[in-house]
Amino acid sequence: RLFGDVNSGLAMATLYLLLPCTAIDVGKVNHVLPAALIVWAFVSYRNPLVAGSLMGLACGTLLFPVFLLPLWAVFYGKQGAGRFVLALSIVGAVLLSSLLLTSADSHSFTKQIIGSIDWSSLKLNSETIGVWSNYDAVYRIPVIIAFFVMLTTLTFLPKEKNLEHLLGHSTAIIVATQLWYPQQ
C-alpha cells in the first residue's frame, strides 16, 4: 500500500522481517514480534497515534526499537510528535499497569520491571557470545560512540523527512544496533 505496488510492499515487509534482529533467534517470538510491529507502524505511518502505539508495543518486547523513537518523533514534526509520544506514553502506562496488577507487592513489581531485563548482556566484557567474544571489550566503545553519532545525525538530517528517509534511517539504526549489541 505504501509503495503503490503489492510486490514492492511485500518485498519491503519481508526484508524488514529478515533484519539481523530477527535472524538471530527466529524461533523466539520476542525477536520476530518487534520487527512485525515496526512493519505495521510503517503501514500506519500517517496516523501517529497508531504508529506510536505499535512502536510502544515493539519497545516493550526488545531493546532495539527504543533507538528508533527519536527518529520517528522528529519525522512527525511538532504536531504529530505530540500524538506519537502520547500514544507511546499510553502504551507504556498500560504495560506498567499490567505488571502492577500481576505483582504481589512493590518488591515483586520492581523485580518484574528491573529483573526482566538481562542487564548482563549490556556489560562491556569479553564473555559474550558472537563476534565480540574474539576481541577485547574496549574495542566496542568506539563502535558504540559511532552508533550514537550516526543515530543523532540520522535523526536530525535532513530537516524535512519523508517516508523513504524514515524507512532507510530506521533500517540503518536497527542494523547498526546489531553491530555493538553484545548478545551474539
Side-chain angles (χ1 to χ4, degrees), residues 133-184:
S133 64
N134 300 327
Y135 302 100
D136 193 27
V138 295
Y139 293 125
R140 194 177 319 136
I141 294 171
V143 175
I144 294 171
I145 292 169
F147 168 76
F148 282 106
V149 168
M150 182 201 76
L151 177 66
T152 305
T153 303
L154 291 180
T155 299
F156 295 108
L157 295 177
K159 197 159 183 85
E160 294 290 322
K161 289 185 180 41
N162 56 26
L163 178 62
E164 289 80 13
H165 291 123
L166 182 66
L167 190 61
H169 292 183
S170 295
T171 305
I173 291 169
I174 292 170
V175 171
T177 302
Q178 297 301 311
L179 292 177
W180 65 266
Y181 191 66
Q183 279 191 324
Q184 298 179 353

Side-chain angles (χ1 to χ4, degrees), residues 64-129:
F64 77 88
V66 172
F67 298 112
L68 298 176
L69 298 181
L71 173 69
W72 281 68
V74 169
F75 167 75
Y76 282 118
K78 290 180 182 175
Q79 280 188 326
R83 289 180 282 172
F84 181 76
V85 171
L86 175 69
L88 281 171
S89 302
I90 290 171
V91 169
V94 168
L95 291 174
L96 284 175
S97 299
S98 67
L99 286 177
L100 186 63
L101 291 174
T102 59
S103 300
D105 56 7
S106 62
H107 177 66
S108 64
F109 174 69
T110 306
K111 189 173 181 175
Q112 279 184 341
I113 292 175
I114 297 173
S116 65
I117 301 170
D118 183 14
W119 296 104
S120 66
S121 68
L122 296 177
K123 287 184 182 175
L124 291 176
N125 59 20
S126 57
E127 298 172 11
T128 59
I129 300 170

